[in-house]
Amino acid sequence: MSDARIGAAPVQPLPTSLLERQLQAASRIAQVLSHSKDLEDTLAQVLATLHEQAGMRHGLVALLNPDRQLLEIAAVHSNSPAVNQASATARYLRGEGIIGSIFKHGSTVVLSRVSGDPRFLDRLALYDFDLPFIGVPLHGSDGSTIGTLAAQPDTCDLDILPTQTRFLELVANLIAQTVRLLVNVEQRHAIAEERDDLRRQARVHFAFDRMVVGRTAGMRRVFDQVRRVAKWNSTVLILGESGTGKELIANAIHYNSPRSNRPLVRLNCAALPESLLESELFGHEKGAFTGAVKQRKGRFEQANGGTLFLDEIGEISPVFQAKLLRILQEGEFERVGGSQTLKVDVRIVTATNKDLEHQVNAGGFREDLYYRLNVMAIRIPPLRERLIDIPELANFIMQQLSEQQGRSLSVTDGAMRQLMTHNWPGNVRELENCLERAAIMSEDGSIDQDLISFSSNAPSLGQPKPLTIAPSLPDISDETLSERERVVAA
């Protein structure tokens, strides 16, 4: 009977006592599984019930570790500390021993006597070699094997072994359903916890006290506007040159608003052609166009209840401007290829580096859409208009680089003077790149003026770089710089 499924023999009438024990055990197991919350505790109770009420000793459940593609013991019924200790490290590969064979083939294995099969590994030193053994697979929703259930009948009566096998298969089906349910619940909880953790980190990262880097009147005005507008649902238009931090402002608005627990969805309007932009924003129905093999939600639906940030809004065509205007006015739209009108609750934050008012006057941007977007305009001044902020910005950036590189970094006074003579066409992004490049080149963590480079062709270590003063800026003397540094430090 080794390695053979016992079922071909005619079924003998069951003793009334065994039938009652199995019915009572099945009822108790169903009750345990229906109140299941913790997988490990649930499996332990099921195995205890098999031992105490169904005459199935030495119960064991091994479950698939999807990352390592092997079976790990999730629960075992034993009072032996040695067995419990061994179960913590026991693993079974596909085809390895009896448990691995069940895992590989996904079929039940029944042994009339454990000692009769040389494949039996007995890694736990748990089983009685003179008794039978039953091992059955746990199947996933797709039919794959996600684990095994094994136990030893407490009798050598081979006439009832087929019935005991069917009973254990019934229990295995119940366990598999619960395992699938609990694993899905745990995965959802893990995803929810990860999402909540990321949101908490985002709130800390984009908190006002971390964002306020800058002492000029223009930046103070920006911070005050962000603080005031964040708590309302008004549409916001962020204006500024490339590299000034428009997306940072959008993040700060969302994560300091009542919508911070809902999604912040971003889309760069200049990154997609108009043919894809409509589908990306509004979604599409299955079969709406070639390649639309299934229904897809657009960014508006994804952002429902939260905030939608549309960057480079000045790049969209007049045709698409009309479609966007409707959803801003009515909050309604249809997916591409669909007829059902959908309604969403989304706060709109847009950004552009273009002069939209000039585009309106030139006929390149719809006037009604412009005024719909321009409820609250926040203009971020370019870095060349706030050179006094460079020391504070540079120190803030150096703190971040120090954390990334795991060492202390500093900027000398000479290097800081050189930073304040540049015109910064790339704004804060260029300043970040410049300091990161200099930090990479610095051996001791000190950034002097010979490491400062305003182009992609950075000089070699120790090679000085002549100062370049933008012609549009007045000369900045050491006395003036000292005065400005005192203002910053005040």
Side-chain angles (χ1 to χ4, degrees):
M1 293 180 69
S2 176
D3 194 27
R5 174 65 192 275
I6 301 177
V11 179
Q12 301 295 326
L14 278 178
T16 303
S17 60
L18 177 59
L19 178 61
E20 289 177 349
R21 289 167 64 189
Q22 289 184 346
L23 289 175
Q24 291 174 359
S27 175
R28 170 59 182 162
I29 289 172
Q31 184 180 13
V32 169
L33 295 176
S34 66
H35 294 86
S36 175
K37 292 184 179 179
D38 179 78
L39 182 58
E40 184 177 340
D41 180 63
T42 297
L43 295 177
Q45 291 186 56
V46 169
L47 297 182
T49 303
L50 288 176
H51 177 87
E52 296 165 2
Q53 296 184 246
M56 305 295 286
R57 303 166 53 187
H58 307 143
L60 178 149
V61 175
L63 296 178
L64 171 66
N65 181 326
D67 295 329
R68 301 178 63 186
Q69 286 299 305
L70 48 74
L71 292 182
E72 298 177 345
I73 296 178
V76 62
H77 187 73
S78 174
N79 294 323
S80 168
V83 170
N84 292 323
Q85 183 177 1
S87 68
T89 57
R91 304 288 186 269
Y92 299 92
L93 300 174
R94 290 184 183 273
E96 186 179 25
I98 297 297
I99 299 296
S101 178
I102 300 171
F103 177 35
K104 180 179 180 180
H105 300 290
S107 56
T108 299
V109 172
V110 181
L111 305 178
S112 59
R113 184 183 174 93
V114 169
S115 60
D117 196 308
R119 297 174 303 163
F120 202 88
L121 301 178
D122 196 31
R123 286 177 172 169
L124 306 182
L126 173 66
Y127 295 101
D128 187 333
F129 274 56
D130 293 325
L131 289 176
F133 173 88
I134 304 173
V136 298
L138 306 178
H139 292 300
S141 57
D142 58 354
S144 62
T145 303
I146 62 172
T148 62
L149 168 65
Q152 274 195 297
D154 59 2
T155 175
C156 294
D157 188 350
L158 302 183
D159 291 335
I160 62 174
L161 197 52
T163 303
Q164 291 172 314
T165 301
R166 285 191 289 271
F167 172 71
L168 205 62
E169 288 176 334
L170 170 65
V171 174
N173 289 333
L174 295 175
I175 291 176
Q177 293 177 19
T178 303
V179 168
R180 293 196 299 265
L181 176 63
L182 290 179
V183 167
N184 289 336
V185 170
E186 289 177 358
Q187 288 177 343
R188 287 198 295 269
H189 285 169
I191 293 172
E193 289 178 0
E194 183 179 3
R195 177 201 62 202
D196 293 341
D197 184 56
L198 290 173
R199 284 175 176 168
R200 284 191 293 270
Q201 293 179 28
R203 289 193 197 99
V204 172
H205 183 74
F206 295 111
F208 289 119
D209 56 347
R210 285 186 60 109
M211 191 188 74
V212 179
V213 179
R215 298 176 178 273
T216 58
M219 288 308 298
R220 288 294 173 181
R221 182 170 58 253
V222 168
F223 301 143
D224 183 61
Q225 289 175 322
V226 171
R227 182 180 290 105
R228 291 172 183 268
V229 78
K231 58 186 176 182
W232 309 112
N233 287 324
S234 302
T235 302
V236 179
L237 174 62
I238 305 172
L239 305 169
E241 297 178 2
S242 296
T244 52
K246 297 187 290 296
E247 186 170 355
L248 177 66
I249 297 296
N251 288 330
I253 291 172
H254 172 76
Y255 287 110
N256 290 278
S257 76
R259 295 174 178 259
S260 60
N261 288 326
R262 302 296 297 168
L264 169 61
V265 179
R266 305 170 179 85
L267 179 66
N268 188 326
C269 297
L272 294 173
E274 184 178 339
S275 57
L276 295 179
L277 188 59
E278 183 175 2
S279 172
E280 193 67 31
L281 276 176
F282 304 141
H284 61 254
E285 298 290 350
K286 180 179 179 180
F289 49 83
T290 303
V293 295
K294 62 180 180 179
Q295 184 192 81
R296 184 180 184 278
K297 290 184 178 181
R299 301 295 176 97
F300 273 101
E301 284 184 85
Q302 296 172 26
N304 191 25
T307 303
L308 177 61
F309 174 51
L310 300 177
D311 200 4
E312 305 296 350
I313 192 67
E315 301 292 339
I316 62 176
S317 69
V319 174
F320 192 76
Q321 290 172 27
K323 298 177 181 179
L324 184 60
L325 180 62
R326 181 200 170 194
I327 189 171
L328 294 180
Q329 290 176 330
E330 309 295 338
E332 297 178 347
F333 66 97
E334 291 86 31
R335 297 192 189 103
V336 176
S339 57
Q340 180 184 2
T341 300
L342 304 174
K343 197 171 186 68
V344 292
D345 171 26
V346 175
R347 181 183 192 171
I348 303 297
V349 177
T350 60
T352 182
N353 58 6
K354 294 184 176 297
D355 186 344
L356 289 188
E357 188 170 359
H358 175 75
Q359 287 189 284
V360 169
N361 295 332
F365 201 87
R366 291 179 63 107
E367 185 177 17
D368 46 4
L369 177 60
Y370 170 68
Y371 288 115
R372 178 67 61 176
L373 297 175
N374 192 26
V375 176
M376 178 67 184
I378 298 177
R379 179 185 176 274
I380 307 176
L383 189 55
R384 62 181 173 275
E385 294 181 7
R386 52 188 184 105
L387 292 177
I388 197 173
D389 288 336
I390 286 182
E392 190 173 2
L393 277 169
N395 289 331
F396 180 78
I397 294 169
M398 294 309 295
Q399 289 177 7
Q400 295 178 317
L401 290 173
S402 296
E403 294 176 3
Q404 294 174 12
Q405 297 188 7
R407 61 172 179 162
S408 178
L409 297 171
S410 62
V411 181
T412 66
D413 292 341
M416 195 69 75
R417 292 189 184 95
Q418 189 164 352
L419 293 175
M420 295 183 69
T421 63
H422 187 53
N423 199 36
W424 299 111
N427 293 293
V428 179
R429 186 181 296 122
E430 184 185 357
L431 176 61
E432 292 174 340
N433 294 342
C434 176
L435 290 174
E436 183 173 359
R437 186 163 55 243
I440 292 172
M441 297 295 293
S442 175
E443 293 286 354
D444 59 0
S446 176
I447 296 176
D448 203 352
Q449 60 184 14
D450 61 342
L451 296 179
I452 298 298
S453 170
F454 300 124
S455 68
S456 58
N457 299 319
S460 301
L461 184 63
Q463 181 180 358
K465 184 180 187 302
L467 299 181
T468 302
I469 301 177
S472 59
L473 294 175
D475 290 339
I476 301 177
S477 64
D478 290 348
E479 181 180 353
T480 304
L481 284 171
S482 299
E483 179 62 26
R484 288 184 175 179
E485 288 170 353
R486 284 196 294 273
V487 172
V488 172

